[in-house]
Amino acid sequence: MKRLVEVLATVVVTAVAAVTVLAGCSTGQGVDLGESSNNLVAAIAGEPDQLDPHKTSAYFSFEVLENVFDTLVEPDSNLEMRPALAESWEVSPDELSWTFHLRPGVTFHDGSPFTADDVVFSYRRVIDEQLANVDKFSAVTDVRAVDPMTVVLRVKHPTPNLLTNIGGFKGMAIVQRRNVESGQIATHPVGTGPFAFQSQKSGDSIILTANKAYWGGAPKVSGVTFRFISEPSTALSALQAGEVDWTDSVPTQRVAQLRDDDSLHLQVAASNDYWYLALNEAHKPWDDVRARQAVAYGIDRAAIVQATSYGTAAANQLAIPEGNPWYTAYDRYRYDTETARRLLDEAGVGDIDLDMLVTSEYPETVTAAQVIADNLAPLGITVSIRTVDFATWLDEQNNGNFDMLMMGWLGNIDPDDFYYAQHHTNGTSNAQKYSNPEVDRLLDAGRVETDRQARFELYQRAATIIADEVSYIYLYNPSVIQAWVTNLSGYEARRDGAVRFRTASLNGSET
């Protein structure tokens, strides 16, 4: 969401408030709509803003949609791209044509067959309607079905990250034309995934049921109920009381204690996610790089890490975490209030009042904002923290109605995922309005360079400039922290944050 808090491109979306029941399906078509004690209950920290994978950018949506939709390819546990709806593919010698051979016998949840036309429709929809992830197709010049089981993508230049672009997260899902054209996809999605949408109760839960005809094998649980529990302590209490089976809403202050709790399983995994502070360069004083650099020197990352994660995260001044093969070391911005004051003086910045946009649906943004406000107050920067729901946060960000904002990017895989949409002048998520021709050149070159070492060097230079000029103030890389009951097996926390229940089992029983 990939699953992103903002996933690559951000769009404004409206919260879903409908209670619907999956129509047009029967158990004969592979979807179990019956009640069962083998249902897995998962507590997530917020409600999906909507369920159209091509339009949403909310992580909460992708936690659900990961289980409803498929992509042509998908990342394995090591984030290497593997077959999914496409069982094989080849690239032409000039690297300008990718041919995908589709998996036979796949059906949508309503029983209709999956074909190459569905792939073409899905990709053309994103491209033609300029939807959230259109930047992922920036190199694509043509998408066509050669026959019912073969799709060819033509690109205008070698595209080393094409597989990641089309399979890295469910924002690139293959959707059903009828589901889209009926207008039902946002509230009643129909996919090919391991679970089918059954119903939604606004403010409470979403229920999925097992797709027994799933091409990857029938799920081992009869369904998944996603409950929306925003308070981590409440979610943990529900887990400990046996009211839920799994949660990724774990209070970080409890992690050390929970490591020794034999009544549940805790997993803390390194992630490719990052959290950042962005300064709106369309608003003064952030149009002056010295003012932005002053803030980068004026914040205490160690204090932010401790306050937001009780030390479970790793402070970082770039996006990509240590241990990732694309990692670049960078440590320019030590906590140095004297340097911060000098830079503000050089920029002619006196005492100012600014607002910081955060969202209650990601409490770490609120906590970090409080630390940052305390850090900046002695520098003459008074920060008013504006806490809104996530849909409003998206709206305000997209309209540029902020001086500063806090947020994170989740589920990144390729280096292009970490930098292009956010920092290229024409990037679809460049809400801070950063622009540097050299960064644009480097990021454009990284998209076509097929030599891995040369590509690494391009991103290394781009990332360094981005940090030097403070397009983002990077704060830390969090861990993926999840907990589940001891009788839940066949599930593992993933570095990309994807929540996959297709192989999960309760008590080892099967549907």
Side-chain angles (χ1 to χ4, degrees):
M1 122 191 221
K2 103 194 31 164
R3 277 105 336 249
L4 356 155
V5 174
E6 314 159 340
V7 174
L8 307 174
T10 302
V11 294
V12 181
V13 286
T14 305
V16 178
V19 178
T20 60
V21 177
L22 186 64
C25 297
S26 70
T27 53
Q29 293 170 324
V31 179
D32 177 8
L33 297 181
E35 294 297 325
S36 170
S37 60
N38 195 32
N39 182 73
L40 190 156
V41 182
I44 60 177
E47 182 170 8
D49 55 359
Q50 68 155 289
L51 298 175
D52 183 340
H54 292 169
K55 292 186 176 181
T56 184
S57 62
Y59 179 60
F60 303 136
S61 295
F62 287 112
E63 288 188 277
V64 175
L65 299 178
E66 179 72 36
N67 298 279
V68 175
F69 288 97
D70 291 313
T71 45
L72 282 192
V73 297
E74 65 180 12
D76 64 13
S77 59
N78 295 317
L79 305 187
E80 297 292 335
M81 305 311 294
R82 303 299 182 198
L85 289 177
E87 62 180 2
S88 65
W89 57 88
E90 62 260 1
V91 186
S92 62
D94 63 4
E95 298 190 56
L96 299 181
S97 182
W98 294 66
T99 302
F100 294 89
H101 304 284
L102 305 185
R103 191 177 299 276
V106 176
T107 60
F108 284 96
H109 296 146
D110 63 359
S112 62
F114 158 73
T115 71
D117 287 339
D118 298 302
V119 178
V120 174
F121 172 78
S122 297
Y123 289 175
R124 291 306 323 178
R125 181 188 186 219
V126 174
I127 295 168
D128 295 343
E129 298 182 28
Q130 294 286 293
L131 299 181
N133 302 298
V134 66
D135 66 297
K136 297 300 182 185
F137 291 111
S138 62
V140 174
T141 59
D142 187 40
V143 183
R144 65 179 58 191
V146 175
D147 59 51
M149 301 307 296
T150 309
V151 174
V152 174
L153 269 66
R154 292 282 300 172
V155 292
K156 59 188 175 185
H157 51 65
T159 309
N161 61 333
L162 182 68
L163 292 180
T164 301
N165 282 349
I166 65 172
F169 75 115
K170 291 303 182 286
M172 302 299 284
I174 305 305
V175 300
Q176 183 193 64
R177 179 191 291 267
R178 181 167 63 250
N179 191 223
V180 171
E181 293 180 344
S182 68
Q184 294 184 341
I185 189 169
T187 57
H188 183 127
V190 174
T192 61
F195 295 91
F197 178 84
Q198 177 178 332
S199 63
Q200 175 167 356
K201 183 177 180 181
S202 182
D204 181 78
S205 61
I206 285 176
I207 299 175
L208 308 181
T209 54
N211 175 10
K212 291 185 177 180
Y214 184 53
W215 58 265
K220 297 180 175 63
V221 294
S222 61
V224 180
T225 298
F226 288 91
R227 289 182 54 192
F228 317 139
I229 304 177
S230 60
E231 176 54 50
S233 61
T234 304
L236 178 60
S237 295
L239 180 70
Q240 294 173 319
E243 298 170 2
V244 304
D245 303 304
W246 174 98
T247 187
D248 63 349
S249 186
V250 179
T252 51
Q253 66 267 34
R254 299 286 301 279
V255 167
Q257 172 194 359
L258 292 173
R259 291 184 191 276
D260 300 320
D261 188 342
D262 294 334
S263 68
L264 55 80
H265 182 87
L266 177 77
Q267 188 168 354
V268 180
S271 81
N272 279 349
D273 306 341
Y274 66 88
W275 292 82
Y276 66 91
L277 171 66
L279 311 177
N280 190 345
E281 296 180 33
H283 292 188
K284 290 184 177 299
W286 308 135
D287 57 337
D288 190 317
V289 67
R290 294 169 298 183
R292 302 195 301 271
Q293 290 171 336
V295 175
Y297 280 111
I299 62 173
D300 185 347
R301 284 178 179 77
I304 293 169
V305 167
Q306 184 60 30
T308 56
S309 74
Y310 286 80
T312 61
N316 194 3
Q317 296 187 29
L318 291 182
I320 299 178
E322 190 170 6
N324 184 297
W326 300 97
Y327 170 74
T328 294
Y330 183 95
D331 62 357
R332 172 176 179 171
Y333 296 111
R334 62 195 181 280
Y335 180 39
D336 185 344
T337 56
E338 290 305 312
T339 298
R341 287 191 182 93
R342 176 178 57 79
L343 287 165
L344 288 172
D345 288 343
E346 290 177 4
V349 179
D351 291 350
I352 51 174
D353 296 327
L354 299 169
D355 85 298
M356 184 184 297
L357 183 66
V358 298
T359 173
S360 55
E361 293 179 46
Y362 293 96
E364 52 269 82
T365 66
V366 181
T367 302
Q370 292 166 344
V371 176
I372 292 169
D374 288 343
N375 289 161
L376 298 183
L379 301 176
I381 301 174
T382 300
V383 176
S384 298
I385 300 171
R386 181 159 49 107
T387 306
V388 299
D389 61 71
F390 188 57
T392 302
W393 187 96
L394 288 172
D395 193 15
E396 293 293 88
Q397 179 209 230
N398 290 342
N399 291 323
N401 294 331
F402 66 94
D403 295 320
M404 315 161 74
L405 61 76
M406 272 286 306
M407 192 43 70
W409 277 80
L410 313 183
N412 312 286
I413 298 178
D414 189 84
D416 183 78
D417 300 338
F418 289 88
Y419 296 117
Y420 195 96
Q422 303 90 329
H423 306 291
H424 193 283
T425 298
N426 299 319
T428 52
S429 291
N430 186 353
Q432 74 278 16
K433 305 302 180 186
Y434 174 74
S435 182
N436 180 304
E438 176 63 7
V439 168
D440 291 350
R441 185 190 69 78
L442 292 167
L443 295 180
D444 287 334
R447 285 191 155 185
V448 302
E449 179 56 66
T450 57
D451 180 87
R452 188 177 180 90
Q453 181 58 34
R455 194 166 185 246
F456 172 83
E457 292 171 2
L458 290 168
Y459 284 109
Q460 183 180 49
R461 294 201 298 275
T464 299
I465 297 170
I466 287 166
D468 283 346
E469 297 190 346
V470 199
S471 176
Y472 277 0
I473 298 175
Y474 296 102
L475 301 174
Y476 60 88
N477 299 110
S479 295
V480 174
I481 305 173
Q482 300 175 0
W484 53 89
V485 293
T486 55
N487 65 318
L488 172 60
S489 60
Y491 176 85
E492 291 293 330
R494 295 170 52 89
R495 286 193 295 135
D496 62 355
V499 176
R500 295 183 183 172
F501 290 125
R502 65 183 74 167
T503 58
S505 176
L506 289 168
N507 291 319
S509 59
E510 304 209 6
T511 57

